Amino acid sequence: MTDTKLKILFVASEVEGFAKTGGLADVAKALPLALHEHGHDVRVMMPLYRTVKGADTAEFLCNQTMRPQSGLPEIPYSIKQLKMGGVPVYGIDSPHYFDRAGLYGEDDHAYNDNGERFAFFSLAILQSCETLDFIPDIIHCNDWHTSLVPFLLKTRYRDSGRFSHTKTILTCHNAAYQGIFEKSQLKLIPEVNSCMDHQVLENYSYINYLKAGVLYADKINAVSPNYASELLTPLGSHGMSHCFVNRIRDFEGIINGCDYNDWNPEVDPHLPQNYSSHDLSGKAVCKAKLQQEVGLAQSDKAIFGMVCRLTEQKGFNILLPALEDLLLHDIQLIIVGTGDPAITGHLRSLEQHHPDKFKFVNTYSDYLSHLVEAGADFFLMPSLFEPCGLNQLYSLAYGTLPIVRGVGGLKDTVNDYDQDNDNGNGFMFYEPEPVDLINLLRRVLLLYIERPDEIIRLKTQAMQSHFYWSESVFQYERLYAKALERYAL
Ligand SMILES: Nc1ncnc2c1ncn2[C@@H]1O[C@H](COP(=O)(O)OP(=O)(O)O[C@H]2O[C@H](CO)[C@@H](O)[C@H](O)[C@H]2O)[C@@H](O)[C@H]1O
């Protein structure tokens, strides 16, 4: 398979370097680049939001007109090209749908036409392939935003000769977000409204985009083997277990890699001093810089860090009560994140009660996310569920010991010190109970205070754990091969 060079179109709603709200963007950059390195002809397609970095200088390729069925007005848009290493990134430039302040919403409110926006994007993807004369072997879709592409290929485009050999992959980065919209948002794709398949209909008035993708994609994967197995269970599938069970023969888990071009403490330009597993002295300099940056006293106290979207998924129901206990100890805590106003309010009030120990930085900052990874001693990820998780991989690379809940990809990537002293590179608790996290945090703190040499050994060991994208690319290549074989038979 590795000798077969494929034409791959990777379609995603966000791509690191251009527009990002979370981990999907990281993967939408690193995976296409890794596939390109394996010799495939990879192109990426994304919406050209107003905020896309480089949008002003993107190369204009052509104007397009979408002519909807059923007498709706024509929709003009254009295709522009950005560059990401050797991989072309096509931006779908529709002022009507994408020239807005946010990607998916503003002021904590999702845009009320998101269903229509991403139905348009899915149609534009296929129309643009034809215009650019790039007919892919594989269209690699990601999450609900692009889940209608497999549906379109098997319905509207079924008899179109041009895509007769094109197969689709759907990667589920987070099946909690399913894209459930009123049928009225699907005026551009009326076929969905007449589709009576109960797996696509959420109910008689609503369509579930992710379910359409899971039903119609040729192959499906989750971003870790453990999350894939969770998605097959009623408890771990966000209500979609029957959909995944129905596709079990075409469904698997492939763990994300870590992009060591962006996340490597030996060369990271965000850090005041670089360091490696052979010499951790630069990490101490990063710790001092982090303390100075957020306004905490310079000291050797253990720093617990966290960078994330502030959502229920990240385990705040477990974490907030546990922090009340943790902050009674002689530690420092730094949380960087934006999101849910209720969580923001709790964190603000906790910070006011412990101003000398806890800094909550309510912002989105690449610089701070790198500095927290480098300067903290421990990284908190007590997630309720975690499809893969990337920050624990960054934490390992930076010698910052992850404290995680044993779910999803966290279980696949962190070796629990309590289970395996010799090979441990982090700490794990299992039950979604604050008391379990509190007990773990106390044990970790004791280790930090009483056995500093052991902590250094663990940090060094963590830095030697690697999750290379090239390994995951082999598995994606096998998945592509299976998708292409299935219809060649
Ligand atoms: N305030 C802030 N400032 C700077 N950077 C911030 C930030 N808040 C978040 N980030 C960054 O966003 C990314 C988050 O990635 P994750 O994989 O941990 O979570 P996410 O839930 O978004 O992704 C989903 O998709 C990914 C990719 O498949 C899965 O790993 C994951 O489990 C799944 O939930 C990291 O690069 C992080 O540094």
Side-chain angles (χ1 to χ4, degrees):
M1 175 64 204
T2 43
D3 290 340
T4 312
K5 300 309 171 203
L6 298 174
K7 289 204 251 178
I8 301 164
L9 182 68
F10 196 93
V11 292
S13 60
E14 52 185 88
V15 182
E16 159 68 25
F18 301 110
K20 171 171 169 177
T21 65
L24 165 61
D26 297 38
V27 175
K29 174 187 175 190
L31 178 53
L33 285 174
L35 286 161
H36 171 74
E37 269 187 27
H38 275 222
H40 300 288
D41 181 357
V42 190
R43 324 251 176 123
V44 174
M45 212 172 269
M46 67 179 290
L48 199 75
Y49 308 105
R50 183 195 299 168
T51 51
V52 162
K53 288 186 197 117
D56 298 350
T57 51
E59 182 191 351
F60 170 83
L61 295 185
C62 58
N63 282 321
Q64 298 262 90
T65 304
M66 189 178 291
R67 295 190 176 80
Q69 299 167 343
S70 62
L72 292 166
E74 292 183 344
I75 306 169
Y77 68 101
S78 59
I79 311 174
K80 293 184 177 162
Q81 185 171 329
L82 303 145
K83 273 268 174 189
M84 185 173 75
V87 173
V89 177
Y90 300 121
I92 299 298
D93 188 9
S94 157
H96 176 63
Y97 288 120
F98 300 131
D99 186 9
R100 303 182 188 187
L103 270 57
Y104 313 120
E106 285 168 50
D107 303 327
D108 298 313
H109 290 291
Y111 294 127
N112 57 17
D113 61 347
N114 273 343
E116 186 179 326
R117 295 171 79 219
F118 287 97
F120 162 79
F121 180 51
S122 300
L123 280 166
I125 287 167
L126 295 174
Q127 190 178 22
S128 302
C129 283
E130 293 189 288
T131 310
L132 297 170
D133 201 20
F134 181 73
I135 303 300
D137 300 304
I138 295 287
I139 301 183
H140 190 144
C141 308
N142 294 276
D143 280 350
W144 69 264
H145 320 88
T146 46
S147 277
L148 293 181
V149 172
F151 174 84
L152 283 166
L153 279 180
K154 297 251 169 78
T155 52
R156 188 179 301 187
Y157 284 85
R158 188 182 49 209
D159 300 323
S160 134
R162 295 216 74 184
F163 291 104
S164 56
H165 297 293
T166 300
K167 303 298 172 227
T168 53
I169 303 293
L170 173 65
T171 296
C172 298
H173 299 264
N174 193 336
Y177 299 104
Q178 298 173 10
I180 299 171
F181 300 105
E182 270 183 296
K183 284 180 164 185
S184 59
Q185 298 224 17
L186 280 143
K187 288 193 273 292
L188 295 173
I189 311 183
E191 297 93 323
V192 186
N193 291 342
S194 52
C195 167
M196 292 307 288
D197 196 310
H198 69 281
Q199 292 198 61
V200 173
L201 288 171
E202 185 62 19
N203 58 40
Y204 284 103
S205 309
Y206 287 83
I207 299 290
N208 184 319
Y209 284 28
L210 189 64
K211 285 184 180 175
V214 172
L215 186 64
Y216 285 92
D218 292 301
K219 295 285 170 188
I220 309 144
N221 78 294
V223 286
S224 70
N226 194 42
Y227 187 54
S229 59
E230 289 171 0
L231 288 177
L232 295 169
T233 66
L235 186 64
S237 67
H238 324 282
M240 282 190 55
S241 57
H242 60 289
C243 303
F244 289 104
V245 169
N246 282 345
R247 296 298 314 272
I248 195 162
R249 289 158 58 98
D250 298 305
F251 177 49
E252 62 186 75
I254 300 177
I255 197 86
N256 286 334
C258 174
D259 186 347
Y260 294 108
N261 291 318
D262 282 349
W263 295 94
N264 177 357
E266 294 184 38
V267 292
D268 189 334
H270 295 291
L271 308 187
Q273 190 172 318
N274 294 112
Y275 61 95
S276 72
S277 60
H278 306 296
D279 177 6
L280 289 175
S281 57
K283 190 163 169 63
V285 178
C286 295
K287 182 168 180 169
K289 179 72 179 167
L290 175 62
Q291 287 163 327
Q292 181 201 340
E293 202 69 57
V294 299
L296 286 170
Q298 304 278 307
S299 94
D300 253 2
K301 291 172 191 169
I303 297 187
F304 293 79
M306 185 169 184
V307 180
C308 67
R309 295 179 296 110
L310 304 181
T311 60
E312 206 190 344
Q313 175 195 344
K314 301 299 174 182
F316 284 95
N317 284 353
I318 312 167
L319 183 67
L320 288 169
L323 290 186
E324 304 272 1
D325 184 274
L326 182 67
L327 286 164
L328 298 175
H329 299 274
D330 207 10
I331 57 105
Q332 294 181 334
L333 170 69
I334 298 162
I335 298 183
V336 180
T338 56
D340 186 335
I343 298 172
T344 306
H346 280 297
L347 291 173
R348 283 223 174 93
S349 124
L350 207 56
E351 185 189 33
Q352 276 161 12
H353 284 96
H354 303 274
D356 300 336
K357 293 183 178 177
F358 174 33
K359 295 294 170 191
F360 167 46
V361 193
N362 188 205
T363 187
Y364 188 96
S365 157
D366 283 336
Y367 166 64
L368 271 183
S369 69
H370 284 251
L371 196 59
V372 168
E373 289 291 8
D377 298 289
F378 303 102
F379 196 93
L380 296 168
M381 287 185 82
S383 306
L384 270 190
F385 67 94
E386 196 59 75
C388 176
L390 294 169
N391 283 100
Q392 84 279 17
L393 305 184
Y394 306 153
S395 301
L396 290 169
Y398 283 66
T400 298
L401 301 174
I403 298 175
V404 307
R405 182 156 172 256
V407 287
L410 297 172
K411 201 169 170 188
D412 286 331
T413 52
V414 174
N415 289 336
D416 181 11
Y417 175 72
D418 288 334
Q419 307 268 337
D420 182 354
N421 276 204
D422 289 344
N423 300 304
N425 58 16
F427 304 90
M428 205 174 279
F429 71 107
Y430 294 91
E431 294 307 315
E433 300 294 340
V435 66
D436 289 42
L437 177 56
I438 290 170
N439 287 337
L440 175 57
L441 290 172
R442 287 179 183 169
R443 281 204 305 282
V444 166
L445 198 53
L446 206 61
L447 194 69
Y448 181 84
I449 293 164
E450 294 194 342
R451 299 186 59 197
D453 288 350
E454 183 68 344
I455 290 287
I456 290 173
R457 185 184 72 80
L458 286 180
K459 286 181 173 177
T460 308
Q461 190 148 284
M463 293 178 80
Q464 285 155 0
S465 325
H466 293 296
F467 295 86
Y468 293 110
W469 266 113
S470 52
E471 300 291 324
S472 310
V473 160
F474 282 124
Q475 295 179 50
Y476 276 108
E477 285 177 333
R478 273 201 296 274
L479 194 65
Y480 297 159
K482 286 190 222 161
L484 291 162
E485 266 165 26
R486 174 172 156 170
Y487 290 90
L489 292 174

